[in-house]
Amino acid sequence: MGRAAWNSLPKELPCVRLLYTKNAEEKRQIASLTKMLTVYTALDYEEDLNKEITITDPMRWAVNWELSIHKIQTGEVYTVDELLHMCSMESAADACM
């Protein structure tokens, strides 16, 4: 994998036998899953991927900008397609707002 996992809970299918756990009871945010559900919802809802979106202050306030790689600013204009591609990257929560 090349990455250390914060949490893991692998299972052997189809019998669903637990192989091992690491911090399995610890509650953590599910950032990547949330981003992927955002992409899925946007693709399901918005048919025009060329539609332009202007970034507003409320959009920016919804995200911890220090943890994001794109540094999207208020007033910038992106297409839905550009935002979806940015949202798919690691540490890109700003594109998902």
Side-chain angles (χ1 to χ4, degrees):
M1 281 189 185
R3 277 197 184 308
W6 289 100
N7 305 76
S8 59
L9 187 68
K11 295 180 180 180
E12 182 180 317
L13 299 175
C15 67
V16 192
R17 183 176 58 135
L18 188 61
L19 301 177
Y20 78 96
T21 65
K22 177 181 177 183
N23 302 328
E25 300 301 319
E26 181 182 345
K27 293 185 184 206
R28 299 193 50 87
Q29 294 180 337
I30 52 170
S32 294
L33 179 57
T34 302
K35 288 192 314 179
M36 291 302 100
L37 287 172
T38 300
V39 170
Y40 174 80
T41 301
L43 287 171
D44 191 47
Y45 175 77
E46 184 57 58
E47 293 180 10
D48 182 8
L49 298 182
N50 293 314
K51 178 181 177 181
E52 292 186 337
I53 306 291
T54 302
I55 306 304
T56 64
D57 280 333
M59 290 174 175
R60 289 196 63 232
W61 297 331
V63 176
N64 183 345
W65 294 94
E66 296 170 2
L67 302 178
S68 191
I69 62 172
H70 296 299
K71 309 300 183 210
I72 292 174
Q73 299 297 316
T74 299
E76 292 179 337
V77 179
Y78 297 92
T79 65
V80 171
D81 186 59
E82 289 171 326
L83 290 170
L84 290 175
H85 278 90
M86 288 190 282
C87 186
S88 301
M89 296 178 182
E90 180 179 6
S91 300
D94 53 347
C96 295
M97 77 250 144

